[in-house]
C-alpha cells in the first residue's frame, strides 16, 4: 500500500450498518486494496431499508421497490446491467388506473388523467418558484401548492358542485401521494426553497419488487463472510482519542458494541439512518458531535412511509388494473393535512395491484405516510383487514367484497434500527445541512490534513439523491473514495 499518510500499518476501517451504503462502501474499499475492513450490522440480516419478507406466495419488498431513473446515469441501473438483472425490472409505462370515490363512482379515465396533469403542473410550478429564489421567509411546498390550487379553482368557478368535489378530492389524493414520495406528514413540512435540490434521473421509475435484495447479494460477493458481523449493534463511537491495542498499535477510534465488544479502528464509516441519528445522537458519539451538527440532525427531515400488503383468495378488482385510486369527495387540499388517526385509512391515496399475478397471487399493496403511517404499525393485522374491507366495500358499493386472507404491514417507524423511512429537506433545514452531515470528523482545520476518523454515509447524506437507493449507494462509494484518496491507493 503506497500511503500518503504516515501510518505504518494497514488502516483498519469499521463500517457501521450493512444497508446498501455500508455494503457499497466496504466493497469498494476491499476492491481497492484495503484488507482490514469490518462491517457491523445491528439486525440479523444485511440490507437495511432494502430488505424483503415472505408474504403469500413470494418475497415482497418492505422498503425500496422502484428504480428511480432507469438510465445509465443511475448507478443502480448500471449495476442492473452489469449483473444481468434487467429481467427483474419491469416496464410500467402503460399503467392502468381505476379511480373510485367514497360515493361509489368510478371516475372517467380522461377526467382523472386531465386532473393528474393539473396536479403535476402545480408541482412543476413549485419547482420553478423554488428556482426563482428570493424568498425573504421560509416557504413550504404547501404554501405554493395551495396558492396554485386556489388559482385553479378560480378558473373552475362555473363547475357543478359534484364536479368541484371530485376535482378537490382528486387533488387531495394527489397531495397525499406526494407526501408518500416525500415520507412526510404534509407538504407544509417540506422546504420550497430547497425542494429543487433533489434531482430526478432520466429514464422514469421502474417497478422492481425483487431487484434490490439480488443487487445486495451481488455487492456482497466481494465482502468475505467473516467481514460482516450480524446482530452486532454499535452502542457508542468514541473518537479523537488514542486507544492502544494488544500489539501496542494506537487507534483514534473505538466502537463499543451493545454486546460489550470493543473494536478499535483508524476510520469508522457511519451509515445508520437519520432517524437513528436523531434518536441516539446524545449517546452515540463520545465526545458528542459539535453543536451545529446536533442542531442540523434535529432539524433535518425524516419521516415514515409504510406499505400494507393484502392477500386475497380471489380478486374483487378487474385484473387489468394496475392502480386503484381512492378519492374522498368530502376532502379538500385547502383544509391542510391534519393527522386523522381515527380514520387513518383516508391517508391511503392509492392501492397497487402487485404484479405479475402468476408470481405473487392476488395481492394489493397500499402505501401510507405521516402520523397515520406510524399509527398503523400499532394495529393488529385483523384490525387492518377489517378497516380495508369496510373501505373497499364503501368505494365499490359491493357488500360482497371479501376480506383479505392475510395482511402484512411494514413497521419502519418502530424499527429501532431505522426509526422511520427516509429523509426530505424539511422547512427547518437546508441542503447545506446535508453536506455538513457528510463532513468527516474531526472537522477539517484549514492548512492541516484531514484525519478522517468518523465518516458519514447513508441516503440522508446525499444532497441530490437523498431518500433513494442510488443516493445511499453513491454516498457509500463517496466515503470509500475519500479514504482511497487519503491513502493514494487508486
Ligand atoms: C418503505 C420504503 C420504500 C422505499 N422505496 C424506495 C424505492 O422505491 N426506490 C429507492 O430508490 N429507494 C426507496 N427507499 C429508500 C431506500 O430504501 C433507502 O434510501 C436506502 O435503502 C437507504 O440505505 P442506507 O444504506 O443509507 O440505510 P439503511 O438501509 O437504513 O442501512 C443502515 C443499516 O444500519 C443498521 N444499523 C442501524 N443502527 C445500527 C447500529 N447502532 N449498529 C449497527 N448497525 C446499525 C441498520 O440495521 C441498517 O441495516 C424506500 C425506503 C422505504 C423505507
Amino acid at each position: 500500500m503506497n500511503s500518503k499518510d504516515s501510518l505504518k500499518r494497514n488502516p483498519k476501517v469499521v463500517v457501521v450498518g450493512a444497508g446498501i451504503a455500508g455494503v457499497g462502501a466496504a466493497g469498494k474499499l476491499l476492491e481497492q486494496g484495503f484488507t482490514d475492513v469490518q462491517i457491523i450490522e445491528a439486525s440479523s440480516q444485511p440490507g437495511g431499508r432494502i430488505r424483503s419478507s415472505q408474504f403469500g406466495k413470494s418475497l415482497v419488498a418492505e422498503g425500496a421497490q422502484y428504480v428511480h431513473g432507469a438510465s445509465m446515469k443511475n448507478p443502480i441501473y448500471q449495476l442492473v446491467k452489469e449483473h444481468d438483472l434487467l429481467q427483474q425490472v419491469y416496464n410500467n409505462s402503460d399503467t392502468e388506473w381505476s379511480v373510485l370515490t367514497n360515493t361509489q363512482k368510478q371516475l372517467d379515465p380522461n377526467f382523472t388523467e386531465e386532473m393528474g396533469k393539473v396536479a403535476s403542473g402545480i408541482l412543476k410550478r413549485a419547482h420553478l418558484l423554488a428556482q426563482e429564489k428570493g424568498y425573504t421567509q421560509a416557504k413550504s411546498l404547501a404554501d405554493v401548492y395551495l396558492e396554485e390550487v386556489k388559482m385553479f379553482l378560480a378558473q373552475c368557478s362555473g363547475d357543478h358542485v359534484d364536479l368541484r368535489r371530485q376535482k378537490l378530492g382528486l387533488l387531495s389524493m394527489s397531495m397525499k401521494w406526494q407526501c408518500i414520495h416525500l415520507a412526510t406528514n404534509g407538504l407544509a413540512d417540506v422546504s420550497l426553497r430547497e425542494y429543487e435540490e433533489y434531482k430526478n434521473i432520466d429514464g422514469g421509475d421502474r417497478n422492481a419488487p425483487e431487484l434490490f435484495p439480488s443487487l445486495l447479494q451481488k455487492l456482497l460477493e466481494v465482502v468475505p463472510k467473516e467481514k460482516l458481523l450480524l446482530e452486532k449493534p454499535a452502542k457508542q463511537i468514541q473518537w479523537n482519542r488514542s486507544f492502544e491495542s494488544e500489539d501496542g498499535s494506537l487507534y483514534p477510534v473505538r466502537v463499543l458494541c451493545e454486546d460489550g465488544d470493543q473494536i478499535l479502528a483508524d476510520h469508522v464509516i457511519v451509515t445508520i439512518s437519520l432517524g437513528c441519528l436523531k434518536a441516539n445522537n446524545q449517546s452515540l458519539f463520545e465526545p458528542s458531535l459539535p453543536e451545529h451538527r446536533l442542531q442540523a440532525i434535529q432539524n433535518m427531515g425524516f419521516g415514515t412511509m409504510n406499505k400494507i400488503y393484502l392477500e386475497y383468495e380471489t380478486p374483487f378488482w378487474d385484473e387489468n388494473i394496475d392502480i386503484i385510486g381512492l378519492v374522498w369527495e368530502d376532502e379538500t387540499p385547502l383544509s391542510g393535512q391534519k393527522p386523522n388517526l381515527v380514520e387513518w385509512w383516508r391517508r391511503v391515496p392509492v392501492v397497487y395491484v402487485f404484479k405479475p399475478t402468476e408470481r405473487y397471487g392476488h395481492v394489493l399493496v397500499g402505501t401510507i405516510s405521516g402520523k397515520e403511517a406510524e399509527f398503523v404499525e400499532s394495529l393488529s393485522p385483523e384490525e387492518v383487514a377489517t378497516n380495508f374491507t369496510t373501505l373497499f366495500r364503501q368505494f365499490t358499493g359491493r357488500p360482497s367484497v371479501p376480506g383479505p386472507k392475510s395482511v402484512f404491514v411494514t413497521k419502519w417507524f418502530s424499527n429501532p434500527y431505522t426509526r422511520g423511512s427516509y429523509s426530505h429537506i424539511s422547512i427547518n433545514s437546508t441542503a447545506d445541512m446535508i453536506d455538513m452531515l457528510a463532513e468527516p470528523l474531526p472537522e477539517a482545520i484549514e492548512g492541516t490534513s484531514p484525519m478522517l476518523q468518523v465518516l458519514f454515509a447513508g441516503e440522508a447524506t446525499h444532497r441530490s439523491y437523498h431518500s433513494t437507493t442510488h443516493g445511499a449507494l453513491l454516498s457509500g462509494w463517496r466515503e470509500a473514495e475519500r479514504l482511497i484518496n487519503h491513502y493514494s491507493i487508486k
Side-chain angles (χ1 to χ4, degrees):
M1 187 177 286
N2 167 21
S3 171
K4 257 202 293 193
D5 204 84
S6 58
L7 287 175
K8 293 177 192 71
R9 56 187 161 68
N10 194 9
K12 186 169 172 153
V13 185
V14 173
V15 178
V16 181
I20 196 164
V23 171
K28 193 166 272 289
L29 288 170
L30 289 162
E31 278 172 346
Q32 297 289 326
F34 283 72
T35 53
D36 201 345
V37 178
Q38 184 73 66
I39 313 180
I40 59 168
E41 164 57 46
S43 314
S44 56
Q45 53 173 314
R49 282 171 274 171
I50 58 175
R51 70 164 186 226
S52 300
S53 282
Q54 187 70 38
F55 179 71
K57 286 169 73 173
S58 200
L59 285 177
V60 294
E62 284 199 48
Q65 181 182 332
Y66 290 86
V67 177
H68 293 305
S71 73
M72 292 304 274
K73 291 180 186 159
N74 184 340
I76 295 287
Y77 197 74
Q78 285 172 22
L79 289 175
V80 164
K81 287 257 172 136
E82 188 185 319
H83 295 292
D84 211 10
L85 294 169
L86 213 50
Q87 71 284 0
Q88 295 195 20
V89 181
Y90 297 101
N91 193 347
N92 45 317
S93 51
D94 302 322
T95 309
E96 281 291 326
W97 281 75
S98 168
V99 181
L100 307 175
T101 74
N102 61 323
T103 57
Q104 300 88 44
K105 294 186 200 84
Q106 175 152 13
L107 298 182
D108 177 354
N110 293 327
F111 169 56
T112 56
E113 202 182 319
E114 213 35 57
M115 285 303 295
K117 286 183 192 154
V118 170
S120 57
I122 288 176
L123 277 169
K124 277 200 192 106
R125 279 192 293 282
H127 258 291
L128 288 177
L129 269 178
Q131 277 162 14
E132 278 173 19
K133 311 252 184 192
Y135 293 118
T136 51
Q137 60 188 43
K139 275 201 177 228
S140 75
L141 201 50
D143 292 332
V144 139
Y145 198 91
L146 298 185
E147 276 168 32
E148 293 286 337
V149 169
K150 281 181 198 152
M151 271 159 60
F152 169 73
L153 289 176
Q155 292 160 19
C156 316
S157 51
D159 284 350
H160 184 273
V161 63
D162 288 347
L163 180 60
R164 190 179 171 85
R165 281 182 171 195
Q166 286 171 8
K167 286 183 176 175
L168 286 169
L170 274 160
L171 288 173
S172 275
M173 178 185 94
S174 150
M175 196 158 95
K176 287 182 247 178
W177 206 20
Q178 268 313 313
C179 291
I180 284 166
H181 291 309
L182 293 159
T184 54
N185 272 317
L187 298 186
D189 294 349
V190 183
S191 161
L192 176 61
R193 194 181 49 211
E194 306 291 333
Y195 183 56
E196 61 166 302
E197 291 292 340
Y198 178 87
K199 301 283 182 276
N200 285 311
I201 299 184
D202 297 343
D205 294 347
R206 295 281 184 88
N207 187 16
E210 288 171 54
L211 171 72
F212 289 101
S214 310
L215 213 54
L216 188 82
Q217 285 316 313
K218 296 287 177 193
L219 291 173
L220 278 168
E221 279 173 8
V222 297
V223 181
K225 238 180 155 182
E226 69 280 5
K227 295 202 178 294
L228 169 60
L229 298 180
L230 298 173
E231 295 182 313
K232 195 105 186 141
K235 186 177 174 189
Q236 189 171 68
I237 296 157
Q238 300 175 333
W239 57 287
N240 228 4
R241 305 263 189 88
S242 185
F243 298 103
E244 191 172 346
S245 69
E246 280 173 11
D247 69 4
S249 305
L250 295 177
Y251 294 88
V253 193
R254 177 164 71 178
V255 181
L256 301 185
C257 301
E258 292 282 358
D259 61 9
D261 272 3
Q262 305 185 358
I263 309 174
L264 304 187
D266 294 295
H267 311 283
V268 174
I269 304 181
V270 177
T271 73
I272 65 178
S273 74
L274 178 60
C276 290
L277 286 179
K278 279 177 184 286
N280 303 325
N281 66 23
Q282 296 294 340
S283 59
L284 193 59
F285 299 95
E286 174 56 44
S288 174
L289 296 180
E291 187 53 36
H292 57 277
R293 278 198 192 226
L294 292 176
Q295 280 294 327
I297 288 170
Q298 283 317 324
N299 289 339
M300 288 167 76
F302 191 78
T304 303
M305 187 282 249
N306 271 318
K307 299 186 185 185
I308 304 164
Y309 286 96
L310 307 157
E311 188 194 17
Y312 289 84
E313 208 72 70
T314 47
F316 65 86
W317 56 92
D318 172 352
E319 290 193 81
N320 296 318
I321 293 300
D322 299 293
I323 303 183
I324 303 168
L326 300 169
V327 168
W328 294 85
E329 291 187 39
D330 55 355
E331 285 185 1
T332 160
L334 297 174
S335 61
Q337 287 166 301
K338 297 175 204 84
N340 177 359
L341 304 187
V342 178
E343 292 178 300
W344 60 268
W345 50 87
R346 280 183 179 254
R347 272 302 282 257
V348 180
V350 299
V351 173
Y352 300 83
V353 181
F354 210 55
K355 290 193 174 173
T357 305
E358 315 82 65
R359 187 161 179 74
Y360 299 111
H362 303 298
V363 173
L364 298 177
V365 55
T367 48
I368 186 165
S369 74
K371 290 283 167 217
E372 289 88 339
E374 296 172 14
F375 177 73
V376 75
E377 295 185 15
S378 67
L379 300 178
S380 69
E382 293 73 27
E383 283 172 289
V384 174
T386 306
N387 290 149
F388 265 101
T389 306
T390 310
L391 179 78
F392 289 141
R393 286 180 183 165
Q394 176 178 2
F395 275 68
T396 57
R398 286 161 36 205
S400 60
V401 165
K405 66 173 177 179
S406 50
V407 172
F408 171 57
V409 179
T410 62
K411 297 190 172 173
W412 291 109
F413 178 68
S414 44
N415 181 331
Y417 301 123
T418 48
R419 293 184 179 265
S421 301
Y422 42 84
S423 63
H424 58 266
I425 306 187
S426 80
I427 187 85
N428 299 322
S429 71
T430 63
D432 289 345
M433 289 183 185
I434 299 178
D435 292 340
M436 186 204 290
L437 189 61
E439 277 300 306
L441 290 172
E443 288 177 346
I445 300 171
E446 237 182 275
T448 62
S449 98
M451 286 187 272
L452 309 185
Q453 292 175 9
V454 186
L455 302 97
F456 292 86
E459 59 84 15
T461 70
H462 199 287
R463 186 174 180 122
S464 315
Y465 304 139
H466 48 268
S467 77
T468 64
T469 47
H470 50 279
L473 179 62
L474 286 172
S475 74
W477 285 350
R478 177 192 68 216
E479 296 313 310
E481 290 285 352
R482 208 192 286 275
L483 288 177
I484 292 161
N485 289 334
H486 186 66
Y487 289 100
S488 297
I489 54 164
K490 270 198 172 160

